[in-house]
Amino acid sequence: MTDSTRSRVKTAAAKRQRLMAAAAQVVHRQGAERTTIADIAHAADVPVGNVYYYFKTKDELVAAALAEHARQLEILTGRLEALADPRERLKSLVESWVSQRDLAARYGCPTGTLAAELDKRDDGGLDVEAGRVIRLLIDWAERQFRELGQPDPEGLALTLVSAYQGMSLLANALRDPSIMTRQGARLLDWLDSLPEAPAV
Amino acid sequence: MTDSTRSRVKTAAAKRQRLMAAAAQVVHRQGAERTTIADIAHAADVPVGNVYYYFKTKDELVAAALAEHARQLEILTGRLEALADPRERLKSLVESWVSQRDLAARYGCPTGTLAAELDKRDDGGLDVEAGRVIRLLIDWAERQFRELGQPDPEGLALTLVSAYQGMSLLANALRDPSIMTRQGARLLDWLDSLPEAPAV
DNA sequence: GTCTATAACGCGATAGAC
DNA sequence: GTCTATCGCGTTATAGAC
C-alpha cells in the first residue's frame, strides 16, 4: 500500500465515520422516516450524491446509526467497569441517564425511540438489530446484578432498563426533564435498598 | 332537519367514525409516517379520494387517531370506576395491560409509540396533543393514589405509567410478550406493598 | 475515487365531473 | 355529498462526467 493509497483510504474511512455519527445524531432528532439522505450528508459535510458510495441504501445508513449507538454504549459501560462495586456501576449508569435529561426530554432515548420506530415495519431485519442493541444494555446490567448476588438478575435488569425507557418516553412526551431527575432518584433509592447478599 | 338530511348526516358521521377507528388502528401498526391516506381509506372501506371530505389534511387524521385513543382510555377508566377500592382499580389497570401483551409485543403502546414519533417533529402541535393523552392516564392514576392516602401521588402515578411505557417498549423491541407478564407481576406486588394509610 | 445531473417513483393534495 | 383523474413536490437511487 503506497502512502497516497493509505491517505486516500484514511480519508474515505474518516468520511464514513463522519456519516455514521451524523446519521446517529440526525436520526435521533428527526426519526428515521423523516430523515433524508440529504439531511445526513449535510450534517456530515459530505456532498449529497456521494453518500451512496459509502452506503448503498438508506437502510444501511440507519443500520450504521444503530451501530454507532452500540459503540457509544460500549464506551459508557467500559468506563463504568473502572468502579469496583457493581452497585456503584449501576448507580453511576442511572446518574449518566439523569445527566442527559435535557436531550431525553427533547428527543427521547436514541436507541429506544429508534427501536420503536423500526418495529413498525414488517420488512427487513432492522427492527431485530435495534432489539440487539437494547439487549446489550440489559445483558450488561444483568451481569452487575448477578455479581451483587441478586436472585433473578435478568428480571432486575429488565426492570432497570424498562424504567429508563419509560422515564425517557414520558420526559419526552411531556417535555419535562425533571421527570428524569425524579424517577432517577427513585431508581437510586431502589438500587441502594437491594441487600448485598440476599438469603437464598 | 328533514329525515333525508338526518339520514345523510348519520351516514356521514358513521363514515367519519369508521375513518377515526381505522386511523387509530393503522397508525398504531405502521406508524404515522409510513401510513398513507390510502391505507386508512382502505381499512375504513371508504373511497380514497373521498377522505379529504372528512379530514382536510393527513395531520387531521393523526389528530383523530389520538382522539380515538383518548376515547378508548376513558372507556377503560370508566369501567374501572365500578371497583370500590382504588388499589383494586390500579391493579385491574395493570391486568388489562398484561392482557394486551401480544399487541404490545408487536406494536407497542398505541399512545406511547405515537407520542414518541410525533415528538420528532418541530412543526405543528400534534406532539403536545399526544402528551395530553398520556397526561389523562397519569392524572387518573394520581387520583387513585391520592384516594389511597399515599404521599406524593403524582410521583407514584408517574412511576406506574413510566413502568407501563417501559415494559411495552421492551416487549416490542425484543418481541417478547412475556416481558409484559413478568413486569406486570412486579407492578402488582408493588401496588400490594403500598400501606393503606401511611404515617405522615 | 469523487461528485453532478437527472431518472423513476410514491405521496399528499386539488380540481372538477357526477 | 361522492368520487376520479391528475398535478406538483420531495424523495431514493442511478448513470455517467470528471
Side-chain angles (χ1 to χ4, degrees):
Chain A
M1 185 190 278
T2 67
D3 274 356
S4 70
T5 307
R6 184 156 42 229
S7 112
R8 264 189 279 119
V9 166
K10 182 168 179 283
T11 318
K15 254 187 198 176
R16 205 189 142 85
Q17 174 55 36
R18 279 215 310 281
L19 280 168
M20 282 186 71
Q25 207 173 56
V26 177
V27 166
H28 180 208
R29 297 207 293 229
Q30 306 190 344
E33 216 65 44
R34 288 179 82 86
T35 296
T36 69
I37 306 273
D39 288 337
I40 297 173
H42 186 258
D45 208 25
V46 167
V48 186
N50 195 13
V51 172
Y52 282 91
Y53 176 71
Y54 299 94
F55 299 93
K56 277 187 275 295
T57 64
K58 185 183 174 181
D59 275 6
E60 277 190 27
L61 264 170
V62 177
L66 273 172
E68 177 71 15
H69 289 311
R71 200 176 66 92
Q72 295 296 332
L73 177 61
E74 269 162 32
I75 292 174
L76 174 63
T77 52
R79 255 203 314 262
L80 295 178
E81 302 284 353
L83 298 169
D85 182 13
R87 190 196 306 267
E88 289 307 315
R89 291 188 206 129
L90 290 166
K91 288 175 68 177
S92 191
L93 175 66
V94 172
E95 275 156 11
S96 94
W97 290 339
V98 173
S99 76
Q100 298 286 313
R101 60 186 173 278
D102 289 326
L103 200 62
R106 186 58 193 85
Y107 303 112
C109 163
T111 313
T113 55
L114 186 49
E117 192 182 359
L118 295 176
D119 274 322
K120 301 292 182 188
R121 305 187 180 183
D122 35 0
D123 68 304
L126 271 182
D127 50 350
V128 180
E129 194 53 35
R132 253 196 283 268
V133 178
I134 291 187
R135 259 269 164 238
L136 288 176
L137 178 59
I138 297 173
D139 288 347
W140 182 87
E142 182 181 348
R143 284 196 293 276
Q144 311 311 311
F145 283 117
R146 178 166 290 121
E147 255 191 67
L148 263 178
Q150 295 296 319
D152 190 20
E154 202 219 343
L156 292 172
L158 234 38
T159 300
L160 181 70
V161 177
S162 170
Y164 166 52
Q165 291 298 335
M167 71 198 217
S168 298
L169 193 146
L170 285 193
N172 185 216
L174 303 178
R175 289 290 160 81
D176 181 1
S178 81
I179 290 178
M180 297 292 289
T181 316
R182 284 189 282 165
Q183 297 298 309
R186 269 177 199 272
L187 282 180
L188 290 176
D189 286 348
W190 174 65
L191 288 171
D192 270 327
S193 77
L194 294 176
E196 176 92 21
V200 191
Chain B
M1 187 189 278
T2 66
D3 273 356
S4 70
T5 308
R6 183 157 42 230
S7 109
R8 263 189 279 119
V9 167
K10 183 167 177 283
T11 319
K15 251 187 200 177
R16 205 188 142 85
Q17 175 56 36
R18 277 216 311 281
L19 280 168
M20 281 187 71
Q25 206 174 57
V26 178
V27 165
H28 180 207
R29 299 207 293 228
Q30 305 190 345
E33 217 67 44
R34 288 180 82 87
T35 296
T36 70
I37 306 273
D39 289 336
I40 297 172
H42 187 259
D45 207 25
V46 167
V48 186
N50 195 12
V51 172
Y52 282 93
Y53 176 72
Y54 299 94
F55 300 93
K56 277 186 275 295
T57 64
K58 185 183 175 180
D59 274 7
E60 276 189 27
L61 264 170
V62 176
L66 273 171
E68 178 70 14
H69 288 311
R71 200 175 67 90
Q72 295 296 333
L73 177 62
E74 269 162 32
I75 291 174
L76 174 63
T77 53
R79 252 202 317 260
L80 296 178
E81 303 284 354
L83 298 169
D85 182 13
R87 190 194 308 264
E88 288 308 314
R89 291 188 205 128
L90 290 166
K91 288 175 68 177
S92 191
L93 176 65
V94 172
E95 274 156 12
S96 95
W97 291 339
V98 173
S99 77
Q100 297 287 312
R101 60 187 174 278
D102 289 326
L103 200 61
R106 187 58 192 84
Y107 302 113
C109 163
T111 313
T113 55
L114 186 48
E117 190 181 1
L118 295 176
D119 274 321
K120 300 293 183 187
R121 303 187 180 183
D122 34 1
D123 69 304
L126 270 184
D127 50 351
V128 179
E129 196 53 35
R132 253 196 283 269
V133 178
I134 291 186
R135 258 270 162 237
L136 288 176
L137 178 59
I138 297 173
D139 288 346
W140 183 87
E142 181 181 348
R143 284 195 293 278
Q144 311 311 311
F145 283 116
R146 178 166 289 121
E147 256 190 67
L148 263 178
Q150 294 297 319
D152 190 20
E154 202 219 345
L156 293 172
L158 234 38
T159 300
L160 181 70
V161 177
S162 170
Y164 167 52
Q165 291 298 336
M167 73 198 216
S168 298
L169 193 145
L170 284 193
N172 185 214
L174 303 178
R175 290 287 160 84
D176 181 0
S178 81
I179 290 179
M180 298 292 290
T181 316
R182 284 189 283 166
Q183 297 298 309
R186 268 177 200 271
L187 282 180
L188 290 176
D189 286 349
W190 174 64
L191 288 171
D192 270 327
S193 75
L194 293 175
E196 175 93 23
V200 191

